[in-house]
Amino acid sequence: MKHQSIIVTSVMAVVIFGLSAAAWLKAPDDFSDSERRELEKFPKLSVEAIGDGSFMDDFESYTLDQFPFRDAFRRLKAETVFGVLGQKDNNNIYVADGYASKMEYPLNEPMLDHAAERFEFLYEAYLQDAENIYFSIVPDKNYFLAEENGYLSLDYEKLIGCMKEKTGYMTYVDLTEHLELEDYYYTDTHWRQENLTDVADVLLDAMGAGEMAELGADAGVSDGDSVGTPVDGTENSSLQDGYEVKELDLPFYGVYYGQAALPMEPDRLKYLINDTLENCIVTSYDTGSPVEIPMYDMEKAGGKDPYEMFLSGTRAVLTIENPQVKNGKELIVFRDSFGSSLIPLLAKGYETITVLDIRYVNSAMLGQFVEFGDQDVLFLYSTMLLNNSLALK
Amino acid sequence: MIIMISFVLFNAQGIGEAVSYIGAMFGAGDLAFTSAETIYYFRSYLVVFAAAVIGATPLPKTLVCRLSENKAGKWLLDILEPVALVVLLLVVTAYLVDGSFNPFLYFRF
């Protein structure tokens, strides 16, 4: 008994004092790759910060963020939650049918009201001359995964019904029946561009640009010279619906990979190109003056979030001009990140597409960047954003 | 009951939230007895509930006493106890690091 007490005390002391010493000696990390976020730094000490309690709040975040072997401990926790305690989710992240996802629940009606109010503001302020305004909701992958596997799920029917009711001035285009679970990445929130050609065609048909796209320039499969500079190891894989499917030779660890803190196989990121897309001119206006950017940003493909390669990720205002289409049609798309991979596939139907993200530019300022007229207009938003719409300005 | 109420007081961001939670615990707020959420979390925490229920009985203590009555059992316990304690310490640390529990709860007071 005495020996056992000595062993227990010694081991505990090693663990406790060892971890404490490591915590003090370890140089602070700036960024967590697995969680894709900045880590907390040691907070500034001041009488004010102590008085209002913010010092301790920040210190708590600092100690958690800078804990030694943090990723290993997060993994241990996740394994305990799923493997030992048999819980269904870890911090709302779950894995079902090989797909990692985050539970989105419950339906937040005030958020739907906010989104609808923002859309109505845009309609009143800029779209009075637009005759063709379309609205499409992108279901997140929980739509196909959550309820079926016993997880808490949004009432999607109610969400779509509410939004349709609040946006009666738009023509709703249903995408749900053209999507399935396989159209989404295993480890990321988003959908796979290589599976979206039918979705793009549904939208183009609904907006009356499908026929134009077929009559327009022969898309022509690309000769392989890329859009942007190819990332090392980019390989051709196949042809599909008039596009060449290319695959990055880099693993794609999506946003849920880090959050799940579980060992998962990475996704493969594929993208579609053809002559039409190669000849498109993409211009960003985020710096105040026009800057030409690649349709697919290969630097970002090798970065922390490879999905940002599509239209260079977060951009408030950009245009896509397609010199191969001469039908006089223009499209304005209000979108979130799901639009980044889909919108290039709409280029075949329009001379110009203007892409606007009102999470990064105030709606009231848009008149300074865009000349609104009788263009076709598409509101393309995911269920996740609509249910958490405070970001819409 | 006292423990449940006192933990609501500890955890609440303010008096209003505490009163609202405690009220809901006693039937105010027109909440249903069960919902999709209660069923989901009950299922998800079933193993934890079972462990808590068994741990609240004399059964674990009885088992340990029985084991320590013979030499082999005693030898097994001598090994298992420190291993279990270290594993528990690491798991508890992992929970703290993951941030799902607020380790500095008491600093609010």
Side-chain angles (χ1 to χ4, degrees):
Chain A
M1 194 67 189
K2 192 181 171 190
H3 282 128
Q4 192 202 41
S5 299
I6 291 171
I7 292 169
V8 171
T9 309
S10 304
V11 172
M12 289 296 196
V14 167
V15 172
I16 291 170
F17 291 112
L19 282 175
S20 301
W24 284 109
L25 295 174
K26 176 181 149 301
D29 296 317
D30 293 328
F31 193 82
S32 166
D33 285 332
S34 61
E35 295 163 275
R36 294 187 189 167
R37 66 177 183 88
E38 302 278 341
L39 295 173
E40 199 73 33
K41 307 287 183 315
F42 193 87
K44 278 188 182 164
L45 188 60
S46 69
V47 176
E48 230 175 51
I50 292 175
D52 65 16
S54 63
F55 177 81
M56 280 319 301
D57 287 342
D58 294 343
F59 183 74
E60 177 192 329
S61 304
Y62 165 78
T63 53
L64 294 177
D65 276 7
Q66 301 295 347
F67 204 87
F69 315 113
R70 186 164 178 277
D71 282 343
F73 276 114
R74 289 184 59 242
R75 165 95 184 266
L76 174 63
K77 193 251 182 171
E79 297 281 10
T80 307
V81 162
F82 289 117
V84 180
L85 300 179
Q87 286 177 240
K88 291 181 74 68
D89 69 273
N90 179 28
N91 300 332
N92 288 339
I93 303 284
Y94 66 92
V95 181
D97 298 341
Y99 289 82
S101 192
K102 185 170 191 172
M103 275 195 296
E104 182 71 34
Y105 182 87
L107 187 65
N108 195 333
E109 291 190 53
M111 288 290 124
L112 303 187
D113 290 340
H114 177 73
E117 181 271 318
R118 287 290 77 199
F119 296 167
E120 195 163 342
F121 171 82
L122 293 167
Y123 175 67
E124 298 287 346
Y126 306 118
L127 306 178
Q128 294 299 308
D129 293 334
E131 287 178 11
N132 302 312
I133 308 176
Y134 304 91
F135 179 35
S136 224
I137 294 176
V138 180
D140 64 279
K141 65 178 160 185
N142 288 313
Y143 179 85
F144 304 97
L145 199 63
E147 196 173 3
E148 201 173 295
N149 287 284
Y151 293 93
L152 293 171
S153 174
L154 284 180
D155 185 341
Y156 286 95
E157 205 174 307
K158 190 172 178 186
L159 185 154
I160 293 170
C162 273
M163 288 309 297
K164 278 166 76 172
E165 194 183 318
K166 291 171 201 291
T167 55
Y169 46 91
M170 305 192 206
T171 304
Y172 187 75
V173 184
D174 183 24
L175 298 182
T176 53
E177 62 190 72
H178 305 282
L179 287 164
E180 53 189 353
L181 183 59
E182 289 71 26
D183 296 332
Y184 297 78
Y185 294 110
Y186 288 108
T187 63
D188 198 63
T189 324
H190 295 105
W191 51 8
R192 299 170 182 271
Q193 190 195 42
E194 72 272 20
N195 290 8
L196 298 181
T197 51
D198 58 337
V199 172
D201 289 343
V202 165
L203 284 168
L204 287 170
D205 285 343
M207 296 188 292
E211 204 174 317
M212 301 283 187
E214 279 172 27
L215 292 173
D218 178 13
V221 172
S222 165
D223 58 9
D225 285 344
S226 191
V227 185
T229 311
V231 71
D232 286 345
T234 302
E235 58 188 44
N236 297 339
S237 55
S238 60
L239 298 175
Q240 177 188 307
D241 300 330
Y243 294 96
E244 185 179 353
V245 185
K246 288 203 160 196
E247 179 178 318
L248 294 184
D249 195 21
L250 295 168
F252 172 30
Y253 295 100
V255 66
Y256 294 138
Y257 177 85
Q259 290 181 16
L262 287 172
M264 289 185 76
E265 284 296 311
D267 278 290
R268 307 305 304 187
L269 197 146
K270 297 178 183 178
Y271 59 99
L272 303 175
I273 63 166
N274 58 18
D275 284 345
T276 304
L277 288 184
E278 281 201 317
N279 288 318
C280 284
I281 301 157
V282 184
T283 310
S284 169
Y285 295 86
D286 281 21
T287 56
S289 52
V291 177
E292 196 173 329
I293 60 168
M295 183 79 80
Y296 302 132
D297 187 330
M298 292 305 166
E299 245 178 65
K300 293 200 168 177
K304 293 188 190 311
D305 181 4
Y307 183 82
E308 287 210 324
M309 70 170 281
F310 296 108
L311 295 180
S312 293
T314 50
R315 298 274 172 173
V317 180
L318 59 84
T319 57
I320 302 170
E321 292 165 77
N322 184 352
Q324 291 187 356
V325 172
K326 301 289 179 199
N327 60 8
K329 281 179 78 75
E330 290 185 28
L331 173 68
I332 294 173
V333 187
F334 293 94
R335 59 89 181 218
D336 59 18
S337 59
F338 279 79
S340 299
S341 52
L342 178 74
I343 291 165
L345 308 184
L346 303 179
K348 63 182 178 183
Y350 288 92
E351 280 189 22
T352 306
I353 300 178
T354 303
V355 183
L356 303 172
D357 192 336
I358 57 168
R359 293 174 302 169
Y360 303 109
V361 59
N362 195 312
S363 299
M365 311 279 283
L366 283 178
Q368 296 176 23
F369 301 101
V370 184
E371 204 170 307
F372 291 93
D374 61 352
Q375 301 101 325
D376 288 351
V377 179
L378 171 63
F379 285 77
L380 182 67
Y381 283 96
S382 67
T383 48
M384 295 171 81
L385 188 95
L386 294 172
N387 204 46
N388 301 278
S389 70
L390 271 188
L392 297 177
K393 295 175 187 165
Chain B
M1 183 75 79
I2 290 168
I3 291 168
M4 296 290 282
I5 291 171
S6 58
F7 263 83
V8 171
L9 289 173
F10 265 112
N11 191 53
Q13 298 292 330
I15 293 294
E17 188 179 303
V19 170
S20 163
Y21 265 89
I22 292 167
M25 287 162 65
F26 287 92
D30 203 21
L31 293 171
F33 182 68
T34 60
S35 65
E37 270 173 296
T38 52
I39 292 168
Y40 172 77
Y41 285 110
F42 182 75
R43 279 185 185 159
S44 192
Y45 281 85
L46 207 54
V47 174
V48 177
F49 283 140
V53 168
I54 294 167
T57 68
L59 189 64
K61 190 184 171 187
T62 310
L63 275 176
V64 170
C65 288
R66 288 249 173 99
L67 266 178
S68 57
E69 280 168 6
N70 62 68
K71 201 175 174 184
K74 200 168 178 307
W75 179 81
L76 191 67
L77 279 177
D78 280 352
I79 293 173
L80 281 184
E81 191 180 333
V83 170
L85 286 173
V86 171
V87 169
L88 268 179
L89 177 66
L90 292 175
V91 169
V92 167
T93 307
Y95 269 74
L96 292 177
V97 171
D98 200 51
S100 57
F101 175 74
N102 186 340
F104 293 102
L105 196 64
Y106 298 94
F107 278 107
R108 286 183 186 169
F109 299 89

